[in-house]
Amino acid sequence: MYKLVLIRHGESTWNLENRFTGWTDVELTPTGVAQAQEAGRLLKAAGYEFDVCYTSVLKRAIWTLWHALDQLDRTWLPIVNDWRLNERHYGALQGLNKADMARQYGDAQVLQWRRSYDTPPPALEPGDPRGQRQDPRYAKLAPEQVPLTECLKDTVARVLPCWNEVLAPAIKRGERLLVSAHGNSIRALVKYLDGISDADIVGLNIPNGIPLVYELDADMKPIRREYLGDAEAIAKAAAAVANQGKA
C-alpha cells in the first residue's frame, strides 16, 4: 500500500477578496499561513514522513508547503516545482470578483465557468498584461503551452502527464510524496484517481489547507481517502469554497 498527501494552498489574498486568481501570483493571507501551519501540525501529529515534495510555480502553493514543512520540522526535504501543477487558468476573468460576475451574468453562468468540465471562461488576448507569456518562469515553454484560458478538461490534460511521468513513478519507487497545489489541479488529480464523471466533478470542492490523504494499491488505484482534521470544520471549509461564486 502506498500513500499520497495532497494539500490545497491556504487562503490567498484573492481568495479573501473573492477574485478569480488562476495563474496570477498572489500572497497568502494570515489565515492562509495559519491554515498551512495547521496542515503541517496535523501531518506531524498523525506521524507522516515524506521523502520529496512537489508543488507548482505559484507562491501561494509554495509558501503553503514551506509553512507545513516548518511545522513538520522537515524544511530540508527536497522540493520539485512543476508548472503543470498550477491552478487552472481563468483567462479574462482573472482579477475579477466572482460575486460581481454572478450579479452581471447570473449564478449559473459563473458556476459553469468555475466548475464545468469543458466550458472555459473568455480567453485573454495574447498581449494582455494579465497573461503569463512573458513571465520568466515559463520561458522554456512553447507559447501555446502557456494558456490564455482553461476549462477543467484542459487542466486535466496538463496535470495527468505530471502524474503519469513524475508523481506515480516516484510513488511506485517507494517515495513518500507531499504535494501542495491548487483547487483545480487537485480536482484534476482527484477526478482521475476516483474516476469521477465529467458531470459529477462540478460538485467537488477542495477546501484550503486541509491535507487529503490517499491510500493506493500497487496499480495506483485508491483503496481509501480521507481529509485529516475535524469533520465539521472540513465540511464548512468545502462549503465556503462552493459559495464563492454566488451573487
Side-chain angles (χ1 to χ4, degrees), residues 29-83:
T29 65
T31 296
V33 171
Q35 290 170 333
Q37 292 170 335
E38 177 62 13
R41 287 191 289 268
L42 286 169
L43 290 167
K44 185 174 184 178
Y48 281 85
E49 290 286 353
F50 301 99
D51 299 300
V52 61
C53 307
Y54 290 84
T55 187
S56 71
V57 296
L58 299 171
K59 59 189 172 186
R60 58 192 186 274
I62 296 168
W63 277 92
T64 295
L65 179 59
W66 288 351
H67 286 298
L69 290 178
D70 188 40
Q71 295 301 312
L72 281 161
D73 195 24
R74 293 294 183 268
T75 52
W76 45 266
L77 283 174
I79 296 173
V80 180
N81 298 91
D82 195 317
W83 69 274

Side-chain angles (χ1 to χ4, degrees), residues 4 26 48 59 66 69 71 75 84 91 125-126 145 151 154 163 173 184 227:
L4 168 68
V26 299
Y48 281 85
K59 59 189 172 186
W66 288 351
L69 290 178
Q71 295 301 312
T75 52
R84 294 175 295 185
E125 294 296 327
Q145 289 181 285
C151 57
D154 299 322
W163 169 257
R173 290 194 298 268
N184 283 294
Y227 283 103

Side-chain angles (χ1 to χ4, degrees), residues 8-22 24-33 35 59-61 64 87 98 182 208-209 244:
R8 181 187 178 188
H9 63 80
E11 181 188 72
S12 73
T13 54
W14 280 17
N15 289 150
L16 180 62
E17 296 171 13
N18 203 22
R19 296 164 74 180
F20 288 98
T21 310
T24 309
D25 207 9
V26 299
E27 308 276 351
L28 294 176
T29 65
T31 296
V33 171
Q35 290 170 333
K59 59 189 172 186
R60 58 192 186 274
T64 295
E87 177 59 290
K98 296 173 185 176
H182 304 263
N208 292 91
Q244 287 175 352

Side-chain angles (χ1 to χ4, degrees), residues 4-246:
L4 168 68
V5 178
L6 307 172
I7 304 175
R8 181 187 178 188
H9 63 80
E11 181 188 72
S12 73
T13 54
W14 280 17
N15 289 150
L16 180 62
E17 296 171 13
N18 203 22
R19 296 164 74 180
F20 288 98
T21 310
W23 282 32
T24 309
D25 207 9
V26 299
E27 308 276 351
L28 294 176
T29 65
T31 296
V33 171
Q35 290 170 333
Q37 292 170 335
E38 177 62 13
R41 287 191 289 268
L42 286 169
L43 290 167
K44 185 174 184 178
Y48 281 85
E49 290 286 353
F50 301 99
D51 299 300
V52 61
C53 307
Y54 290 84
T55 187
S56 71
V57 296
L58 299 171
K59 59 189 172 186
R60 58 192 186 274
I62 296 168
W63 277 92
T64 295
L65 179 59
W66 288 351
H67 286 298
L69 290 178
D70 188 40
Q71 295 301 312
L72 281 161
D73 195 24
R74 293 294 183 268
T75 52
W76 45 266
L77 283 174
I79 296 173
V80 180
N81 298 91
D82 195 317
W83 69 274
R84 294 175 295 185
L85 293 173
N86 275 14
E87 177 59 290
R88 173 186 158 198
H89 198 293
Y90 274 102
L93 296 180
Q94 289 188 162
L96 302 180
N97 182 277
K98 296 173 185 176
D100 288 346
M101 292 299 98
R103 283 188 286 271
Q104 184 173 348
Y105 296 103
D107 289 344
Q109 177 63 74
V110 173
L111 180 64
Q112 187 176 48
W113 283 333
R114 292 183 66 223
R115 289 290 181 259
S116 76
Y117 186 61
D118 56 6
T119 302
L124 286 173
E125 294 296 327
D128 193 303
R130 291 177 293 165
Q132 286 72 39
R133 293 196 168 178
Q134 305 305 315
D135 192 307
R137 78 193 86 184
Y138 309 112
K140 294 183 180 180
L141 302 180
E144 62 270 15
Q145 289 181 285
V146 182
L148 298 172
T149 187
E150 285 182 316
C151 57
L152 184 59
K153 183 178 180 180
D154 299 322
T155 310
V156 169
R158 64 169 161 84
V159 170
L160 284 189
C162 180
W163 169 257
N164 291 322
E165 298 166 10
V166 179
L167 303 180
I171 295 169
K172 289 179 180 179
R173 290 194 298 268
E175 296 176 8
R176 297 165 295 182
L177 270 57
L178 175 59
V179 178
S180 175
H182 304 263
N184 283 294
S185 51
I186 292 177
R187 286 174 79 223
L189 281 172
V190 170
K191 184 182 190 303
Y192 172 75
L193 290 172
D194 290 345
I196 299 173
S197 71
D198 297 356
D200 289 342
I201 196 64
V202 176
L204 179 69
N205 295 290
I206 306 294
N208 292 91
I210 301 176
L212 174 58
V213 179
Y214 273 92
E215 294 180 0
L216 305 168
D217 65 17
D219 296 319
M220 299 291 100
K221 301 298 183 184
I223 299 168
R224 62 188 295 266
R225 74 176 178 97
E226 65 171 350
Y227 283 103
L228 297 185
D230 176 73
E232 184 177 351
I234 293 165
K236 286 182 178 178
V241 174
N243 289 328
Q244 287 175 352
K246 295 180 180 178

